């Protein structure tokens, strides 16, 4: 098979691009369409909630700096916005509460949904194209993780949402715009030339993490727009020996051909988790363990002598902070989350207010929680061990946290989550948005959605 350059074999990105361009909505299985709808609903709900936060007020000022009005929508805000501004704001809004989905190479929804809605607004595309774009984007971003895993990228300091997220957004936007194989390959090449996003925010709780999905959405959308006008990107953006993404970001640690294995067999969007708690996904395993132990044994804060959590080195770097000065610190702190579960038996947005961060009871409990790295451990699962004041020793390990694609939230639970989040921005219109998303592939539904989000 030859690539877009005559006489040359297909590169990895060109092979992926051909698959994207050939993807047809009419050939998608029903469960794949359903998952794409779930992704759309969950991401929009998270973004609408995020748009009401104090941090969002800062992003609104940036909207004006980037041109104010335009053809695209910042969800929950009246009027239009420039395409790049809409993508740049909708992505962080979706990520601000740490409730956005996981899977697909990171926080895929927060990267791709802003890109596909913006692309559809610009191209005059419909809801079928939006869903198809999400299927394409998830496939690509997830498959990049086959070459260099989340663990590998994280331990090298790269936040995959800021790296794979942009390529997934480019794939998604390119499919919405109906680019052909070569055009899609150029979009991937352009996006891959600009990607980035590091874990340096863990040192001080900086807002850069919030911006990563917005930058990925903006980068992906811009790359697709450039490619649509004939701007070219490198055909070996992933696999070049010098300057290719994998060899540059994780030298000697990637299998650049892995994304092509079994391409076309199944759909990666089905490997998507929907978060039940407003914390880093890496905390969910231990959170479920603590919730179960508390309920089963009737534990109270006074009954806890020590808590020991055994985890991987990657998890320690991500969620091991005891310094909680900002909301982001709290969302990334395993000790903070477990402290509130012990105190209240829940983990909701109420536990992540400025007042909650300063609560002396949770601060006291955090000092009783020890983290121990198991050198042989990998991934984001932990073992929680509790020593009680009356001498009991309790332990739990949850391999499949609630919200994982193998233990998913039901459609009713997802709808309840959406209404609880979106109502903060839309009030009673949240019900109408949920109803439109449920039939988004029907004629006229996408235009209805945009109108509701812009009202």
């Amino acid at each position: 098979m030859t690539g877009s350059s005559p006489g040359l074999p297909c590169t990895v990105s060109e092979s992926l691009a051909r698959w994207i361009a050939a993807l047809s909505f009419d050939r998608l299985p029903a469960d794949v369409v359903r998952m794409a709808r779930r992704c759309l609903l969950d991401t929009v709900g998270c973004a609408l909630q995020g748009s009401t936060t104090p941090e969002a007020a800062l992003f609104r000022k940036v909207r004006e700096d980037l041109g104010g009005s335009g053809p695209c929508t910042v969800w929950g805000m009246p009027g239009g916005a420039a395409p790049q501004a809409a993508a740049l704001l909708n992505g962080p809004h979706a990520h601000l509460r740490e409730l956005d989905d996981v899977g697909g190479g990171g926080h895929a929804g927060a990267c791709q949904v802003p890109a596909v809605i913006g692309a559809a607004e610009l191209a005059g595309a419909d809801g079928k194209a939006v869903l198809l774009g999400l299927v394409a984007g998830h496939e690509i971003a997830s498959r990049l993780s086959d070459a260099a895993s989340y663990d590998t990228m994280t331990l090298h300091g790269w936040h995959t949402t800021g790296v794979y997220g942009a390529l997934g957004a480019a794939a998604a936007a390119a499919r919405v715009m109906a680019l052909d194989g070569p055009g899609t390959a150029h979009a991937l090449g352009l996006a891959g030339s600009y990607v980035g996003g590091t874990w340096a925010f863990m040192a001080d709780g900086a807002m850069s993490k919030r911006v990563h999905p917005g930058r990925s959405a903006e980068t992906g959308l811009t790359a697709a727009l450039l490619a649509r006008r004939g701007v070219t990107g490198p055909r070996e953006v992933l696999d070049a020996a010098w300057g290719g993404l994998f060899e540059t970001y994780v030298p000697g640690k990637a299998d650049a051909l892995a994304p092509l294995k079994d391409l076309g067999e199944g759909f990666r969007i089905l490997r998507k988790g929907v978060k039940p708690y407003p914390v880093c996904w890496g905390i969910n395993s231990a959170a479920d363990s603590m919730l179960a132990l508390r309920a089963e044994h009737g534990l109270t804060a006074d009954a806890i002598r020590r808590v020991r959590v055994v985890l991987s080195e990657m998890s320690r770097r991500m969620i091991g902070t005891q310094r909680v000065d900002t909301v982001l610190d709290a969302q990334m702190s395993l000790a903070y989350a477990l402290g509130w579960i012990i105190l209240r038996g829940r983990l909701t947005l109420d536990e992540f207010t400025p007042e909650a961060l300063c609560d002396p009871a949770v601060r006291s409990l955090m000092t009783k929680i020890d983290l121990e790295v198991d050198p042989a451990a990998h991934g984001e699962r932990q073992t929680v061990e509790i020593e009680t004041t009356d001498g009991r020793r309790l332990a739990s390990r949850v391999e499949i946290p609630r919200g994982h694609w193998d233990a998913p939230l039901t459609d009713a639970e997802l709808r309840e989550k959406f209404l609880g989040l979106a109502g903060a921005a839309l009030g009673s219109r949240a019900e109408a948005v949920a109803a439109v998303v449920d039939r988004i592939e029907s004629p006229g539904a996408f235009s209805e959605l945009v109108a509701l989000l812009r009202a």
Side-chain angles (χ1 to χ4, degrees):
M1 182 182 294
T2 59
S4 55
S5 298
L8 295 176
C10 270
T11 64
V12 173
S13 59
E14 287 174 330
S15 296
L16 294 172
R18 288 190 176 196
W19 180 88
I20 295 165
L23 198 60
S24 166
F25 184 86
D26 295 336
R27 298 178 65 183
L28 294 180
D31 59 342
V32 172
V33 174
R34 171 179 170 268
M35 186 62 85
R37 276 196 227 100
R38 283 169 61 92
C39 173
L40 178 61
L41 183 68
D42 189 48
T43 304
V44 169
C46 290
L48 289 169
Q49 170 64 232
S51 72
T52 69
T53 62
E55 298 96 324
L58 304 177
F59 290 109
R60 282 196 291 274
K61 296 176 183 177
V62 175
R63 173 190 177 182
E64 299 304 318
D65 294 338
L66 294 176
S69 62
C72 293
T73 305
V74 179
W75 313 329
M77 296 177 63
Q84 289 87 350
L88 183 62
L89 270 64
N90 287 327
H93 287 175
H95 196 43
L96 277 168
R97 293 300 202 185
E98 275 294 334
L99 274 162
D100 49 316
D101 62 22
V102 292
H107 296 278
C111 301
Q112 294 176 27
V113 175
V116 297
I117 289 183
E121 289 179 300
L122 291 170
D126 60 12
K128 287 184 178 180
V130 166
L131 298 182
L132 192 62
L134 292 175
V135 173
H138 279 72
E139 194 74 23
I140 300 319
S142 175
R143 285 182 170 276
L144 295 177
S145 298
D146 294 350
S149 70
Y150 183 84
D151 290 37
T152 298
M153 292 289 284
T154 300
L155 287 171
H156 278 76
W158 298 110
H159 188 210
T160 57
T161 297
V163 181
Y164 298 158
L167 286 145
R175 191 65 198 84
V176 171
M177 294 178 184
L179 300 189
D180 62 10
T184 301
H186 288 310
L188 293 176
L190 289 163
S193 298
Y194 314 140
V195 297
T198 74
W199 280 89
F201 56 81
M202 287 302 299
D204 55 8
M207 294 182 187
S208 58
K209 182 179 191 292
R210 317 299 201 186
V211 183
H212 288 174
R215 284 290 291 167
S216 285
E218 177 195 18
T219 294
L221 178 60
T222 301
L225 289 170
L226 289 168
R228 185 173 69 157
R229 298 302 187 188
V231 179
T232 62
R235 44 191 307 275
E236 293 183 68
V237 68
L238 299 176
D239 44 336
W242 181 56
L245 187 147
F246 294 125
E247 194 57 30
T248 301
Y249 282 58
V250 286
K253 298 292 181 65
D255 177 1
L257 296 179
L260 302 182
K261 184 179 180 182
D262 300 327
L263 181 63
E265 298 182 16
F267 292 92
R268 294 296 183 88
I269 197 170
L270 296 175
R271 304 182 190 178
K272 167 171 286 299
V274 175
K275 284 187 184 180
Y277 316 125
V279 292
C280 175
W281 176 249
I283 292 173
N284 281 243
S285 169
D288 281 348
S289 288
M290 184 60 79
L291 284 165
L293 290 170
R294 185 184 189 277
E296 180 180 353
H297 300 281
L299 298 175
T300 64
D302 292 339
I304 303 293
R305 175 171 288 147
R306 300 297 302 178
V307 176
R308 176 174 173 262
V309 182
V310 182
L311 72 173
S312 68
E313 172 60 20
M314 184 194 75
S315 286
R316 184 198 66 77
R317 296 188 190 188
M318 289 172 52
I319 58 176
T321 184
Q322 287 274 353
R323 176 190 51 76
V324 176
D325 297 327
T326 68
V327 172
L328 177 64
D329 291 335
Q331 292 166 336
M332 304 298 292
S333 173
L334 176 58
Y336 181 85
L338 296 186
W340 274 121
I341 291 173
I342 293 168
L343 283 169
R344 294 180 175 174
R346 70 186 192 199
L347 205 53
T348 70
L349 291 175
D350 289 340
E351 282 69 64
F352 293 87
T353 64
E355 295 75 23
L357 264 61
C358 301
D359 190 281
V362 78
R363 293 286 181 161
S364 176
L365 275 170
M366 288 174 67
T367 66
K368 298 182 179 181
I369 298 172
D370 304 316
L371 307 184
E372 181 178 316
V373 171
D374 176 357
H378 298 280
E380 299 177 283
R381 304 296 181 265
Q382 300 91 30
T383 300
V384 176
E385 301 172 353
I386 298 174
E387 179 186 353
T388 66
T389 53
D390 61 6
R392 288 176 292 164
R393 294 185 180 275
L394 312 172
S396 174
R397 181 179 177 88
V398 173
E399 293 291 350
I400 303 176
R402 181 168 173 255
H404 186 275
W405 49 89
D406 287 331
L409 301 188
T410 66
D411 287 347
E413 288 173 326
L414 175 56
R415 182 183 177 86
E416 181 182 5
K417 175 186 174 182
F418 171 82
L419 294 176
L421 296 175
L426 297 185
S428 61
R429 295 199 311 276
E431 290 273 7
V433 171
V436 170
V437 171
D438 198 44
R439 56 178 176 83
I440 192 66
E441 63 269 39
S442 62
F446 178 71
S447 295
E448 289 182 51
L449 176 63
V450 170
L452 286 167
L453 294 179
R454 193 182 284 205

